[in-house]
Structures are given as structure tokens and as C-alpha cells.
């Protein structure tokens, strides 16, 4: 191995270490912070939400963006505590459909904004904090691993360096 190749490898290793430290780790931390904020907001929304029974009145077929397939989302009707009838389309989409027409469901809604309702369920309520937390943990773990491995590699004396001058 020649001296120029050794320096080039060290520069690439240093670049990878900086990428881990200054890109992956901060992105991971920001995603984890966003997960905590969305979880806090969701928890606050749940504290003020009212729970009532609703009914799926239709399964709306929605074209998936990237593929040729379709996803299904429930159109739900419920009656508020003060007697108003409200319909909303859930943001939770799936294939196969997670609900069926005529199915009774638990609905959570804000009394001040009944149109922003949600079907009570882990995915329909907590999916955003879960996804952000998962992605944040992956970025943080990757960045930490890259930075630690590169730091360890750069700290070790290179055995090939002894033979470069020979």
C-alpha cells in the first residue's frame, strides 16, 4: 500500500466519521425530539377528547400514490354529546381494509372541533410518534455506530504504515 492510498483511506474514514457525528446523529436527535413533541401533543389531545360510539358508513377506496393498488379508509358517522351528526374520513389507510361497512367503532373527538375525530386505536392515534421515534432511533444508532467505529479505526496504529517507507 502506498502512502497516498493510506492518506486517501484515512480521509475517507474521517469523512465517514464526520457524516456520522454531524449528519446522522443530529437527524436522529431531531426525529426523536419530534416524536416526543407529537406524543405530547397527542396525549394532550386525548386528555380533552370525548369518546362516543360511531359507525363505519362506507369504506372509501383510495389509490395508493406509488403503486397501482388501492388502500381503504373508513368514512365514519357519529353523534356528538350535544346531538350533532358528524362524518369524518379516517387518516388510517390499509389494504386489506381494517374495518367493514356497518361496523361500530369507538370515536374520539375534540368537542370544539368534532370534525377532527379519530377512531380509537393504537395506529390511528399513535402512528406518527411511533414512526418518528423508530426512524430517530435508527438514525441515532447508525450515526453513533459509524462515529465510534471510525474513531476506533483512526485511533489504532496502522500496521501498513510501517512498511510504506521500506
Amino acid at each position: 500500500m502506498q502512502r497516498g492510498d493510506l492518506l486517501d483511506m484515512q480521509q475517507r474514514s474521517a469523512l465517514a466519521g464526520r457524516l456520522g457525528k454531524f449528519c446522522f446523529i443530529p437527524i436522529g436527535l431531531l426525529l426523536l425530539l419530534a416524536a416526543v413533541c407529537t406524543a405530547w401533543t397527542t396525549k394532550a389531545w386525548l386528555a380533552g377528547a370525548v369518546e362516543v360510539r360511531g359507525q363505519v358508513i362506507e369504506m372509501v377506496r383510495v389509490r395508493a400514490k406509488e403503486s397501482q393498488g388501492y388502500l381503504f379508509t373508513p368514512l365514519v358517522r357519529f353523534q356528538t354529546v350535544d346531538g350533532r351528526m358528524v362524518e369524518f374520513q379516517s387518516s388510517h389507510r390499509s389494504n386489506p381494509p381494517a374495518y367493514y361497512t356497518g361496523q361500530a367503532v369507538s370515536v374520539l373527538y375534540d368537542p370544539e372541533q368534532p370534525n377532527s375525530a379519530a377512531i380509537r386505536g393504537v395506529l390511528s392515534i399513535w402512528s406518527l410518534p411511533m414512526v418518528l421515534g423508530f426512524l430517530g432511533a435508527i438514525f441515532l444508532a447508525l450515526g453513533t455506530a459509524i462515529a465510534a467505529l471510525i474513531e476506533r479505526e483512526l485511533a489504532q496504529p496502522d500496521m501498513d504504515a510501517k512498511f510504506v517507507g521500506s
Side-chain angles (χ1 to χ4, degrees):
M1 183 178 287
Q2 294 183 357
R3 184 174 171 86
D5 292 338
L6 183 62
L7 289 175
D8 192 38
M9 279 180 47
Q10 287 176 337
Q11 287 173 341
R12 280 188 271 165
S13 292
L15 177 63
R18 285 192 296 272
L19 182 68
K21 284 181 189 174
F22 301 117
C23 188
F24 283 102
I25 290 175
I27 288 172
L29 291 173
L30 286 173
L31 286 169
L32 287 173
L33 179 64
V36 168
C37 289
T38 56
W40 183 316
T41 303
T42 300
K43 189 174 178 182
W45 182 82
L46 285 171
V50 175
E51 185 172 353
V52 294
R53 298 301 290 165
Q55 185 173 21
V56 176
I57 58 172
E58 180 184 351
M59 288 304 297
V60 179
R61 190 171 88 161
V62 180
R63 182 173 291 283
K65 291 180 183 176
E66 299 291 324
S67 68
Q68 301 297 330
Y70 290 93
L71 298 173
F72 297 90
T73 182
L75 181 63
V76 178
R77 180 183 295 144
F78 67 96
Q79 186 173 2
T80 63
V81 176
D82 62 2
R84 289 183 291 162
M85 292 300 284
V86 177
E87 290 182 9
F88 74 96
Q89 187 171 318
S90 175
S91 60
H92 180 71
R93 298 173 177 182
S94 64
N95 190 1
Y99 304 94
Y100 59 88
T101 302
Q103 181 177 354
V105 292
S106 252
V107 175
L108 294 168
Y109 74 95
D110 181 349
E112 294 179 13
Q113 295 178 321
N115 289 330
S116 65
I119 296 174
R120 180 179 203 104
V122 173
L123 286 180
S124 60
I125 295 173
W126 295 102
S127 60
L128 184 58
M130 287 169 46
V131 167
L132 290 172
F134 179 73
L135 290 175
I138 288 175
F139 270 87
L140 185 61
L142 250 161
T144 303
I146 290 171
L149 288 173
I150 296 301
E151 197 69 34
R152 192 175 91 192
E153 180 182 306
L154 291 176
Q156 289 179 352
D158 193 357
M159 296 306 287
D160 291 336
K162 293 180 182 179
F163 302 107
V164 170
S166 306

